[in-house]
């Protein structure tokens, strides 16, 4: 269960070098907004951006952006993981991110199940706009545009949540 994960050592180790860890666990593919991630990485060098999951189906432009991200000092790609490990990854992180591209389909119909999994793990989430996610939880921040994503991400983290907020998320 996502609510009973044991904090993963790989993610905890990143906190030795960074103030906090923002996590994305899932398929790294054509849906990911690499420009948005680049903006976030450049805006906050004290946050480690940790990515878990298989990389596939990237355009040439996305491949270039992904490869550029991989050499940033506050980005870590830790590979694909067994789905059973994901609750432990979320238990160790400070904020979950769902940085999907702005497409009509994602915006109007997207429903990232990972948002619910992160919330169940007590992890606040910042997501690009997916209308079906709006209003699910106060700790699921579904935002409009890259500027809002970056600014909300800068202020949202597990450590600032009250016990009542944790209970509501789970």
């Amino acid at each position: 269960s996502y609510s009973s994960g044991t904090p993963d050592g790989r993610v905890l180790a990143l906190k030795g070098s960074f103030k906090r860890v923002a996590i994305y666990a899932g398929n790294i593919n054509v849906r990911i907004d690499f420009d948005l991630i680049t903006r976030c990485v450049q805006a906050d060098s004290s946050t480690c951006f940790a990515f878990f999951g298989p990389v596939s189906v990237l355009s040439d432009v996305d491949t270039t952006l992904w490869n550029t991200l991989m050499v940033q000092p506050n980005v870590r790609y830790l590979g694909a993981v067994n789905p059973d490990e994901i609750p432990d990854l979320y238990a160790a992180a400070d904020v979950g991110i769902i940085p999907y591209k702005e497409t009509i389909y994602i915006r109007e119909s997207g429903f990232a199940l990972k948002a619910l999994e992160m919330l169940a793990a007590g992890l606040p989430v910042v997501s690009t706009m997916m209308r079906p996610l709006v209003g699910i939880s106060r700790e699921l921040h579904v935002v409009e545009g890259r500027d809002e994503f970056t600014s909300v991400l800068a202020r949202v983290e597990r450590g600032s949540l009250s016990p009542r907020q944790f209970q509501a998320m789970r």
Side-chain angles (χ1 to χ4, degrees):
S1 140
Y2 282 87
S3 62
S4 58
T6 302
D8 180 86
R10 293 166 292 184
V11 177
L12 290 176
L14 296 173
K15 290 186 185 184
S17 305
F18 297 94
K19 180 180 164 209
R20 64 189 195 143
V21 175
I23 190 168
Y24 174 85
N27 292 307
I28 298 164
N29 57 28
V30 68
R31 293 176 305 180
I32 304 296
D33 185 341
F34 295 102
D35 283 324
L36 171 59
I37 296 166
T38 299
R39 179 181 291 209
C40 294
V41 163
Q42 292 171 344
D44 185 1
S45 62
S46 68
T47 295
C48 180
F49 292 81
F51 293 88
F52 293 86
V55 179
S56 62
V57 194
L58 296 181
S59 68
D60 290 344
V61 170
D62 284 347
T63 298
T64 299
L65 290 168
W66 174 247
N67 290 336
T68 301
L69 279 168
M70 290 303 94
V71 298
Q72 300 307 306
N74 59 330
V75 175
R76 299 291 184 278
Y77 172 61
L78 296 120
V81 293
N82 184 310
D84 294 342
E85 295 176 68
I86 294 175
D88 298 340
L89 299 174
Y90 290 162
D94 298 291
V95 61
I97 58 171
I98 306 175
Y100 287 173
K101 288 179 181 167
E102 173 79 22
T103 68
I104 295 294
Y105 178 77
I106 290 173
R107 179 180 185 82
E108 299 302 324
S109 305
F111 189 90
L113 184 59
K114 69 176 78 285
L116 302 180
E117 296 166 348
M118 290 175 184
L119 290 171
L123 190 63
V125 182
V126 181
S127 174
T128 49
M129 179 53 69
M130 286 181 256
R131 289 205 193 285
L133 293 179
V134 173
I136 287 177
S137 168
R138 293 183 61 144
E139 304 317 317
L140 171 54
H141 304 270
V142 183
V143 302
E144 289 278 4
R146 292 175 175 163
D147 289 340
E148 188 179 3
F149 190 100
T150 305
S151 67
V152 171
L153 179 59
R155 62 178 169 76
V156 171
E157 64 182 72
R158 183 193 308 267
S160 64
L161 299 177
S162 71
R164 188 172 22 174
Q165 287 171 303
F166 275 117
Q167 190 59 38
M169 290 165 64
R170 291 175 184 222

